[in-house]
Amino acid sequence: YQDYANQVADELAKYVFDKRHEFHYTGTTASADDALNMALEFEGKPVFITDSGDNVTSGAMGSNTFILHQFLGVKELKKKVLFAAINDVKTCHELLKLEVGSETEINLGIGIDELTTPAKLKVRVNYKGNQEGTHMYGEEGDYGPLVTVHVLQTNIDIAITDNNHSFVEEHQIAACGVDWDDYDIIVVTTNGNDTKPLERLIKNRKVDGMILTRTYENDKYVKFLKQKQIPFVAVGKFPDDDVVQV
């Protein structure tokens, strides 16, 4: 049956390939400001905001405080918000020395650029524990410490870690000592369409080409790279036949 199997495989491959123009990326993406407003206006719960510009599963640091500053700037924030997590080695280790229930003042943020600007916060240590692996990746065991704090006089809780591990499954949120059903909004890992870092790399001649590990509908990275005639490859399906895709 080998010949027949090869024939069917070829027919299936041709059928799928001929349908390629019918598939379009339709994920819900938005600017940081729009995402904030969408989350605040949504009547149900929970809303997950994925900080795709700081995507730790693509190697990012997970240290952005941009969205945190956004929420801190919301007047009379009624919704309960969880950040899982923000990577800040120094702050994490300082908090680990404190007892659960302790109140202290921290500067959360590693301060290497405008997206990691420290936030001065008065917090209460609610929980100390360890990060868990991502089961869908076959990860098990201890993936480093975490401290969950409550920002006093707000509705914001933050899990603070000393590494850039991802939080994508319910048991990983539970490992923060919280129940995700208690929150209206969960920020799991700024604006993925901010081209300023990319512009700096190109201006300083640090790159000759780019690999985009993630793309979006109306992607500003794609438009910028095409405008600047910088060669690039997009990983995954993108609705533009002029873009090289793998």
Side-chain angles (χ1 to χ4, degrees), residues 1-12:
Y1 298 101
Q2 186 64 51
D3 291 342
Y4 179 66
N6 290 338
Q7 176 188 338
V8 173
D10 289 341
E11 292 174 354
L12 179 60

Side-chain angles (χ1 to χ4, degrees), residues 45-48 80 82 84 167-186 188:
K45 58 178 286 190
V47 174
F48 282 83
K80 192 172 181 180
L82 172 68
F167 288 73
V168 296
E169 295 171 346
E170 183 177 7
H171 68 96
Q172 293 174 305
I173 302 295
C176 299
V178 300
D179 184 339
W180 67 4
D181 287 330
D182 292 338
Y183 295 91
D184 301 293
I185 301 170
I186 301 175
V188 289

Side-chain angles (χ1 to χ4, degrees), residues 47-64:
V47 174
F48 282 83
I49 298 178
T50 301
D51 187 357
S52 53
D54 196 20
N55 182 4
V56 297
T57 59
S58 293
M61 296 176 64
S63 298
N64 280 357

Side-chain angles (χ1 to χ4, degrees), residues 10 19-20 24 35 40 42 67 81 89 91 93 95 110 114 150 153-154 157 163 169 186-187 197 200 207 209 241 246:
D10 289 341
K19 293 283 187 178
R20 66 190 187 280
H24 298 282
L40 293 175
F42 188 70
I67 295 179
V81 182
V89 176
T91 302
H93 289 187
L95 290 168
I110 59 177
E114 66 273 16
H150 173 68
Q153 298 182 340
T154 75
D157 291 345
N163 61 51
E169 295 171 346
I186 301 175
V187 183
R200 286 196 295 268
V207 295
D241 289 337
V246 295

Side-chain angles (χ1 to χ4, degrees), residues 128-212:
K128 297 192 294 184
N130 296 91
Q131 303 169 69
E132 294 188 358
T134 307
H135 290 170
M136 68 177 177
Y137 299 148
E139 297 175 348
E140 299 289 345
D142 180 359
Y143 279 78
L146 66 83
V147 181
T148 303
V149 301
H150 173 68
V151 182
L152 299 180
Q153 298 182 340
T154 75
N155 285 331
I156 299 174
D157 291 345
I158 309 169
I160 302 171
T161 67
D162 70 351
N163 61 51
N164 63 338
H165 191 59
S166 61
F167 288 73
V168 296
E169 295 171 346
E170 183 177 7
H171 68 96
Q172 293 174 305
I173 302 295
C176 299
V178 300
D179 184 339
W180 67 4
D181 287 330
D182 292 338
Y183 295 91
D184 301 293
I185 301 170
I186 301 175
V187 183
V188 289
T189 62
T190 262
N191 180 357
N193 276 329
D194 182 5
T195 61
K196 290 181 181 178
L198 183 57
E199 291 173 17
R200 286 196 295 268
L201 286 173
I202 293 172
K203 181 180 179 181
N204 294 327
R205 299 182 180 179
K206 297 292 186 181
V207 295
D208 297 314
M210 297 289 296
I211 298 175
L212 299 181

